[in-house]
Amino acid sequence: MAHVPGSSFAEKVFAADQIIRVGIVGAGEVAQTTHIPTLGLLSHLYKVVALCDVSQNLLEHCAAKFHLSKEDLHLDASDLIKRADVDLVLVIAADEYHVGGVIIWIGYMRRYAAAFVEAVKIVKSMKKIEYARVRDIIGYNHLFVNQSGFFPVRFSDIPDSAKDDLKARSQAAALASLGQSRASNPGEVSTWRLLCSLGSHDLSAMRELLGPPKGVLGAGRHGSWITALFDYGDFVTTYETGHDSVGSFDAHLEVYGDGKRVRVDYDTPYVKGLPITLTIAENDASGAYVERVIRPTYEDCYTLQYQALHDAIFGKGPVKCTPEDAAQELRTIGLVMDAITPP
């Protein structure tokens, strides 16, 4: 998530050629393998000027690796936010800290992929959708992170107070969303957290592609594996997600209709430059099966989303993923949770 100090972009005045100065809250492996390197490569648009984390050792490591000074490091996010030289704050910390009335941009990077944007145009033009499928079954993150070439590190010098605060926030969020009975069940909380993290990217992309579902016809869970059947009135959409120990990233959306199949395939975002493809399968006029694989660009979706964010800041494009937009996933997640275990 990102926000500009103040309640909206309109309250901040930027020069036409100004480089946006960024403060980052959270210096974990996602920040080290995707966000900070991407912003560094977009040095004509952004500059990271401040970094915050609860681990002093991690801050010092990142400072040395990404060329930040000691004065750029903060253990308290409020100190970073107060800095006059920070135009934009990226919150890449745990989900429990993604709160605040000034947040204006949600990092659903998959929706910025060029292949996905093109797929949306095709699907929206379909006269009749017969079936759709959303799948996100991937290996554990370390299987990709360890081969990313970015060599992220972890440290254990996290204060007990920070651990206690995260635990309290996590329990409060689960209680507010699930109710007392389900919030006290570790399995229910684990399912909910998976849907709110990895699942939120799938469900957000599904909603832009197909619209919000009318309801959930059924859902099931076994360990970290979740399956749901969404009701779209004239068609149904299957959703399946889970983790295993195989180094494969099987994430795609596929829509069947108008005599064609339209599919977007994603690869791991931890390895930069892997293509996101659009496949269109149909029969041609002679009846022969034809399959076209389209790779609009090698630019990864993190790069594309930061370019889109920069355009939005300067009034050259829309803010696609707003808090109001993202809040719709909470409804869908709630429908899945209720189908698995009624409240």
Side-chain angles (χ1 to χ4, degrees):
M1 290 186 178
H3 73 77
V4 174
S7 60
S8 69
F9 284 140
E11 295 183 11
K12 192 87 174 182
V13 178
F14 296 97
D17 59 348
Q18 182 174 332
I19 293 175
I20 301 299
R21 299 167 298 180
V22 181
I24 297 178
V25 178
E29 65 181 24
V30 176
Q32 295 174 58
T33 58
T34 57
H35 293 280
I36 299 177
T38 299
L39 291 168
L41 293 172
L42 291 170
S43 59
H44 59 296
L45 303 179
Y46 298 97
K47 181 181 180 180
V48 177
V49 298
L51 185 64
C52 175
D53 199 274
V54 293
S55 167
Q56 182 66 44
N57 288 335
L58 183 54
L59 286 174
E60 293 175 359
H61 168 82
C62 289
K65 185 170 185 175
F66 298 112
H67 311 293
L68 296 168
S69 69
K70 184 177 180 180
E71 291 72 27
D72 298 331
L73 309 179
H74 302 277
L75 291 168
D76 189 330
S78 63
D79 295 330
L80 180 149
I81 295 170
K82 294 174 184 176
R83 289 178 54 145
D85 63 341
V86 170
D87 302 314
L88 179 74
V89 177
L90 298 182
V91 182
I92 317 175
D95 293 344
E96 288 77 6
Y97 296 93
H98 290 207
V99 295
V102 295
I103 295 174
I104 47 78
W105 177 77
I106 311 297
Y108 283 140
M109 66 283 182
R110 292 186 185 183
R111 291 171 58 184
Y112 291 90
F116 175 77
V117 172
E118 186 61 30
V120 170
K121 296 176 183 177
I122 296 172
V123 171
K124 294 296 185 184
S125 70
M126 283 184 170
K127 296 179 180 178
K128 183 180 180 180
I129 297 175
E130 298 178 0
Y131 176 68
R133 178 175 63 190
V134 180
R135 179 183 176 98
D136 203 347
I137 296 178
I138 63 176
Y140 294 111
N141 282 347
H142 73 269
L143 297 170
F144 310 104
V145 171
N146 292 348
Q147 301 180 62
S148 68
F150 290 105
F151 307 103
V153 299
R154 293 185 177 188
F155 292 94
S156 58
D157 62 323
I158 300 174
D160 288 339
S161 58
K163 296 178 183 177
D164 292 340
D165 182 65
L166 176 60
K167 182 178 179 180
R169 288 173 179 263
S170 178
Q171 291 174 339
L175 181 61
S177 298
L178 301 175
Q180 181 63 51
S181 178
R182 291 187 297 182
S184 62
N185 184 318
E188 297 287 339
V189 174
S190 177
T191 298
W192 171 71
R193 290 189 64 85
L194 178 59
L195 289 171
C196 288
S197 52
L198 176 65
S200 68
H201 292 278
D202 307 321
L203 300 175
S204 180
M206 180 185 78
R207 178 173 51 80
E208 181 170 350
L209 192 65
L210 303 171
K214 296 180 181 297
V216 175
L217 298 173
R221 172 197 64 224
H222 182 75
S224 64
W225 300 86
I226 304 169
T227 304
L229 189 64
F230 292 110
D231 177 16
Y232 274 89
D234 295 330
F235 65 95
V236 296
T237 298
T238 56
Y239 172 59
E240 51 185 346
T241 187
H243 291 97
D244 63 11
S245 58
V246 178
S248 172
F249 199 95
D250 183 5
H252 68 260
L253 304 94
E254 189 166 17
V255 180
Y256 301 69
D258 284 6
K260 67 180 70 174
R261 300 173 184 178
V262 179
R263 173 169 169 152
V264 179
D265 282 277
Y266 294 89
D267 212 322
T268 174
Y270 291 117
V271 179
K272 195 170 183 64
L274 295 180
I276 298 170
T277 59
L278 167 63
T279 301
I280 302 174
E282 57 190 337
N283 289 350
D284 66 13
S286 70
Y289 173 78
V290 177
E291 186 175 277
R292 292 185 293 141
V293 179
I294 303 167
R295 185 186 63 242
T297 179
Y298 274 112
E299 282 189 304
D300 62 278
C301 50
Y302 280 99
T303 297
L304 292 170
Q305 75 167 354
Y306 277 122
Q307 290 173 331
L309 174 60
H310 193 272
D311 285 345
I313 290 174
F314 286 90
K316 299 177 182 179
V319 182
K320 184 175 183 178
C321 301
T322 64
E324 294 78 15
D325 172 88
Q328 297 185 61
E329 271 59 77
L330 298 178
R331 169 188 172 270
T332 305
I333 290 169
L335 291 174
V336 176
M337 292 299 302
D338 290 349
I340 293 174
T341 307

